[in-house]
């Protein structure tokens, strides 16, 4: 859409697909085209109704997004019981800098979004959000927002929940601070797609960059868990120290380029599926400014295995940073990050190849991983941040990826497009299909049943090759089925005992 230089910055993305209609995808992002508008509006979104082939940028008749009086930090949620989309931002209409947003049942219509508040505050920051859209979950339809609440002077991580599909929001629940923690940042929140447990990933930033110890001070990953729908949280895990990804610093924040540009504190994203909790983050390894790591818990976030480096590139002059992670309803994981391996000639605003988006996929909920590969089709220049009203070192603090049964969706800040001779920040997006998978079962996963069944129905995303199926493919408590029947064009298998 049209915009006037230098108010051309779009970064920090939150991508969400409709689990009931995967052709609907909404990507929210910071958008500086409305920085000089009254009321201020630096929040934007684009909507696809054709599965991501095309997107329409939400623009009202006044040339702005529907999200008046907001300051960015995007969250975009879909609420399944009401078929309604909820955007959450830093919101001047909710206490000066509280948390609020706009909701719509027809997100492609920019005039359909109506305002609401999650929390009234003056210093809320760094929010995240998650929705429970699993009909088998005990908390089906519940939505959660986490943030750092600087009004409380700590600040703690706070979480609010809606148990009535977004009509009202609870008072904040303040999460405990681990022993010895200096400052715990709210990284991201997620919901276990099977159990409905809520997980908040935090990071003990240990006072920031740590100028006395050089670029990239020690950090610790922190995990919280709620088993009662966000009413209470327990600090289940505080990890060992690691050095944060970094090349330079500006005050408190580390940066991936000189003079603190592209501030990044090694934050990533958690994902949870049936008690397996996953987390990606970035780390500095000696002279290597950044690598992307994955850790996995099989006991609901209580303990995590050894870190596994997702990027195969080990050139210590090439950085990898700012990862995001999503888990599908089929249990596949998809991690995406910024990667310099095919570029590395990085000057803000110059048309020279710098980074490309790389991804890595796991088809077994993180137990093993396929090789990493490029996701974006262009090695992007390093975009400048030309808008004088936006933090000059900022290329977005995070990108939130998500997934439904059939695909993963993710977005990023890209510099391939020049405006007024300057490579600048745009939000780009892509998706990865889950592939062949179980879609639903009867009985459903995690269901409680009172009569022992003799038939188990397995519905598949695609037809199966009959020659590859045998009764022993399906077991209950280690006991294989006696026979099977194919139906529904070989897309359904009924295993019989």
């Amino acid at each position: 859409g049209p915009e006037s230089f230098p108010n051309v910055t779009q970064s920090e993305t939150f991508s969400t697909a409709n689990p009931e209609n995967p052709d609907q995808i909404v990507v929210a992002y910071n958008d500086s085209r409305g920085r000089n508008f009254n009321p201020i509006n630096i929040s934007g979104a684009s909507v696809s109704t054709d599965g991501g082939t095309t997107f329409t940028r939400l623009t009202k008749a006044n040339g702005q997004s529907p999200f008046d009086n907001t300051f960015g930090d995007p969250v975009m949620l879909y609420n399944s019981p009401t078929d309604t989309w909820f955007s959450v931002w830093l919101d001047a209409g909710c206490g000066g800098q509280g948390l609020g947003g706009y909701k719509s049942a027809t997100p492609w219509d920019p005039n359909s979004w109506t305002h609401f508040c999650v929390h009234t505050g003056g210093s809320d920051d760094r929010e995240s959000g998650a929705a429970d859209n699993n009909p088998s979950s005990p908390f089906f339809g519940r939505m959660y927002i986490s943030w750092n609440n600087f009004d409380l002077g700590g600040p703690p991580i706070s979480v609010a929940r809606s148990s009535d599909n977004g009509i009202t929001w609870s008072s904040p629940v303040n999460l405990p601070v681990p022993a010895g923690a200096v400052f715990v940042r709210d990284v991201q929140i997620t919901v276990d797609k099977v159990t409905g447990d809520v997980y908040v990933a935090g990071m003990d930033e240990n006072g920031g960059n740590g100028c006395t110890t050089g670029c990239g001070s020690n950090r610790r990953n922190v995990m919280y868990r709620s088993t009662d729908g966000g009413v209470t949280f327990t600090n289940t895990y505080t990890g060992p120290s690691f050095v944060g990804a970094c090349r330079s610093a500006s005050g408190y924040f580390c940066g991936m380029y000189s003079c603190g540009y592209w501030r990044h504190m090694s934050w990533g994203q958690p994902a949870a599926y049936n008690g397996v909790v996953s987390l990606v983050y970035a780390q500095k390894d000696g002279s290597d400014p950044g690598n992307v790591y994955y850790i996995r818990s099989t006991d609901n976030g209580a303990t995590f295995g050894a870190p596994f480096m997702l990027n195969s590139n080990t050139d210590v002059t090439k950085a990898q940073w700012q990862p995001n992670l999503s888990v599908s309803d089929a249990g596949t994981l998809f991690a995406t990050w910024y990667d310099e391996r095919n570029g590395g000639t990085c000057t803000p605003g110059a048309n020279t190849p710098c980074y490309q988006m790389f991804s890595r996929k796991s088809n077994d909920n993180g137990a093993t991983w396929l090789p990493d590969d490029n996701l974006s089709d262009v090695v992007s220049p390093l975009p400048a941040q030309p808008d004088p009203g936006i933090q000059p070192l900022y290329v977005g603090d995070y990108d939130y990826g998500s997934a439904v049964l059939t695909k993963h969706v993710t977005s990023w800040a890209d510099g391939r497009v020049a405006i007024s001779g300057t490579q600048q920040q745009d939000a780009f997006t892509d998706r990865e299909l889950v592939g062949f998978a179980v879609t639903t079962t009867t009985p459903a996963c995690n269901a409680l049943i009172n009569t022992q069944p003799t038939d188990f129905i397995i519905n598949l995303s695609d037809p199966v090759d009959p020659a590859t199926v045998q009764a022993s493919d399906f077991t209950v408590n280690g006991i294989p089925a006696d026979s099977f029947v194919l139906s529904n064009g070989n897309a359904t298998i009924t295993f019989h005992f």
Side-chain angles (χ1 to χ4, degrees):
E3 54 199 12
S4 299
F5 193 87
N7 307 135
V8 294
T9 297
Q10 293 87 37
S11 65
E12 196 168 87
T13 64
F14 198 114
S15 307
T16 305
N18 182 346
E20 296 165 5
N21 182 0
D23 282 344
Q24 293 181 6
I25 303 171
V26 183
V27 180
Y29 43 84
N30 294 342
D31 189 349
S32 78
R33 70 169 168 172
R35 180 179 64 81
N36 298 319
F37 188 68
N38 187 16
I40 192 170
N41 184 336
I42 51 176
S43 308
S46 295
V47 178
S48 175
T49 58
D50 56 11
T53 302
T54 61
F55 278 82
T56 299
R57 188 180 187 185
L58 293 178
T59 304
K60 298 190 298 182
N62 62 6
Q64 301 301 311
S65 84
F67 314 123
D68 288 340
N69 223 20
T70 59
F71 308 128
D73 275 14
V75 172
M76 185 63 66
L77 305 178
Y78 174 79
N79 178 257
S80 185
T82 61
D83 191 20
T84 300
W85 294 79
F86 288 78
S87 69
V88 177
W89 314 87
L90 299 179
D91 194 322
C94 300
Q97 188 171 307
L99 296 176
Y102 292 78
K103 60 183 178 180
S104 172
T106 53
W108 49 85
D109 179 1
N111 299 306
S112 66
W113 294 82
T114 58
H115 185 256
F116 67 96
C117 286
V118 173
H119 177 251
T120 299
S123 299
D124 294 343
D125 195 26
R126 193 54 181 84
E127 70 272 20
S128 180
D132 189 338
N133 288 318
N134 176 13
S136 298
S137 168
F139 308 109
F140 174 53
R142 194 164 292 194
M143 294 184 290
Y144 308 91
I145 301 295
S146 62
W147 71 97
N148 278 124
N149 190 341
F150 284 91
D151 280 342
L152 299 182
I157 297 176
S158 298
V159 178
R161 65 192 181 278
S162 175
S163 305
D164 54 12
N165 301 309
I167 297 175
T168 61
W169 294 82
S170 72
S171 298
V173 176
N174 297 324
L175 277 55
V177 178
V182 177
F183 166 62
V184 180
R185 181 80 63 176
D186 178 39
V187 174
Q188 299 288 4
I189 190 171
T190 193
V191 174
D192 190 306
K193 292 212 166 186
V194 178
T195 68
D197 290 351
V198 184
Y199 293 90
V200 176
M203 183 172 286
D204 176 13
E205 295 180 353
N206 193 29
N209 170 58
C211 293
T212 59
T213 58
C215 175
S217 64
N218 285 343
R219 317 285 159 77
R220 292 189 298 171
N221 289 310
V222 179
M223 191 66 68
Y224 300 92
R225 180 192 182 200
S226 174
T227 61
D228 55 11
V231 177
T232 61
F233 282 85
T234 302
N235 172 209
T236 58
Y237 173 80
T238 302
S241 296
F242 65 93
V243 180
C246 201
R247 276 194 176 111
S248 65
S250 177
Y252 181 92
F253 290 97
C254 286
M256 295 310 299
Y257 295 100
S258 62
C259 303
Y261 187 62
W262 199 311
R263 71 181 197 187
H264 177 56
M265 297 298 284
S266 296
W267 308 322
Q269 185 177 341
Y273 185 87
N274 202 23
V276 174
V277 184
S278 299
L279 178 68
V280 291
Y281 62 98
Q283 175 177 316
K284 187 175 189 285
D285 292 314
S287 59
D288 191 327
N291 289 308
V292 171
Y293 282 89
Y294 167 77
I295 55 175
R296 183 176 190 255
S297 170
T298 57
D299 55 8
N300 304 289
T303 62
F304 283 81
F308 171 66
M309 193 167 75
L310 288 176
N311 53 280
S312 61
N313 175 260
T314 56
D315 184 341
V316 297
T317 68
K318 308 289 190 179
Q320 288 82 30
W321 75 101
Q322 200 166 309
N324 63 83
L325 181 69
S326 59
V327 63
S328 72
D329 297 72
T332 61
L333 286 172
F334 193 66
T336 300
W337 60 88
Y338 296 82
D339 195 308
E340 288 179 345
R341 75 183 70 178
N342 293 328
T345 307
C346 305
T347 301
N351 189 18
T352 54
C354 179
Y355 64 84
Q356 197 167 9
M357 303 309 295
F358 265 70
S359 297
R360 196 160 183 174
K361 185 178 180 182
S362 170
N363 286 324
D364 52 14
N365 201 15
T368 62
W369 290 82
L370 300 174
D372 58 341
D373 200 358
N374 61 290
L375 175 73
S376 59
D377 55 352
V378 168
V379 182
S380 170
L382 178 61
Q385 200 298 94
D387 194 318
I390 305 297
Q391 221 286 341
L393 306 179
Y394 190 72
V395 198
D397 286 331
Y398 60 88
D399 298 296
Y400 194 104
S402 64
V404 292
L405 178 64
T406 57
K407 62 187 168 187
H408 299 262
V409 292
T410 188
S411 305
W412 63 92
D414 197 291
R416 71 183 72 180
V417 178
I419 296 180
S420 295
T422 300
Q423 311 299 137
Q424 46 77 54
Q425 300 172 27
D426 288 309
F428 272 68
T429 190
D430 212 334
R431 64 260 189 224
E432 167 72 11
L433 297 181
V434 167
F436 184 73
V438 173
T439 56
T440 59
T441 64
T442 304
C445 286
N446 216 41
L448 294 175
I449 55 176
N450 297 314
T451 302
Q452 188 176 41
T454 58
D455 288 326
F456 291 81
I457 301 172
I458 310 299
N459 295 307
L460 304 169
S461 61
D462 300 278
V464 70
D465 179 356
T468 67
V469 183
Q470 45 271 323
S472 59
D473 288 339
F474 189 88
T475 63
V476 176
N477 297 333
I479 303 170
D482 295 309
S483 61
F484 70 91
V485 175
L486 291 168
S487 59
N488 188 29
N490 295 335
T492 297
I493 312 173
T494 302
F495 290 95
H496 178 73
F497 288 81

